[in-house]
Amino acid sequence: MGTSLIQKWLQRRLPGYDDPFNSDKRAKIGMLEGWVSVISNTILTIVKAWLGLLSGSLSLLADAFHTFTDSFTSVVVLIGFRLSRKPADANHPFGHGRIESIASLVIGILLGVAAIELGRAAFERISEQSPVEA
């Protein structure tokens, strides 16, 4: 099997990037993913929200909100990886690596709250029985 362009780029920029036990490489890959995700999702959020407001499409606005939560959770990823790279200190003799797990938990909670709110808004719209305008 051949390697993808992304894999070739990563091999050149971060030798040993595919070693999951190398916390420094894992953090660098996580930071790269976080920044790419923040930038691309922010652009997508703006475009989807603008088109949703122009068209009055609730589904497009919901998708814009979902994309915004993806962007926000990517900020949590960036913070998590940045803090997890801190060296051990007196209060954390084994380092700060568990912050990655805490960041994942925060992301899960944020996505759960977003899902509940979107479900609530959809249920209210369905129960109102307003006519659909083309």
Side-chain angles (χ1 to χ4, degrees):
M1 242 2 188
T3 58
S4 71
L5 288 175
I6 293 173
Q7 288 173 327
K8 288 179 182 178
W9 185 82
L10 286 172
Q11 287 171 351
R12 194 172 13 154
R13 301 273 299 178
L14 293 170
Y17 76 95
D18 53 351
D19 180 10
F21 299 107
N22 186 332
S23 61
D24 187 49
K25 299 290 184 188
R26 189 175 60 241
K28 286 181 180 179
I29 292 291
M31 295 290 283
L32 174 65
E33 180 279 330
W35 281 113
V36 168
S37 183
V38 165
I39 292 167
S40 61
N41 282 326
T42 300
I43 293 168
L44 280 172
T45 297
I46 292 167
V47 170
K48 289 177 183 181
W50 180 65
L51 292 173
L53 290 172
L54 283 178
S55 66
S57 170
L58 182 63
S59 61
L60 199 51
L61 287 173
D63 196 39
F65 183 73
H66 176 257
T67 306
F68 171 73
T69 61
D70 286 345
S71 184
F72 186 73
T73 56
S74 294
V75 171
V76 174
V77 167
L78 287 170
I79 292 169
F81 276 115
R82 180 175 209 129
L83 293 176
S84 71
R85 293 173 78 181
K86 291 172 66 176
D89 56 26
N91 292 329
H92 306 93
F94 298 107
H96 295 81
R98 291 213 174 161
I99 290 178
E100 289 179 31
S101 299
I102 293 169
S104 298
L105 180 64
V106 168
I107 290 168
I109 291 169
L110 289 172
L111 290 177
V113 168
I116 290 168
E117 285 300 312
L118 289 174
R120 184 187 59 75
F123 182 75
E124 285 177 4
R125 186 148 182 177
I126 289 172
S127 64
E128 286 178 4
Q129 297 287 328
S130 59
V132 177
E133 296 178 21

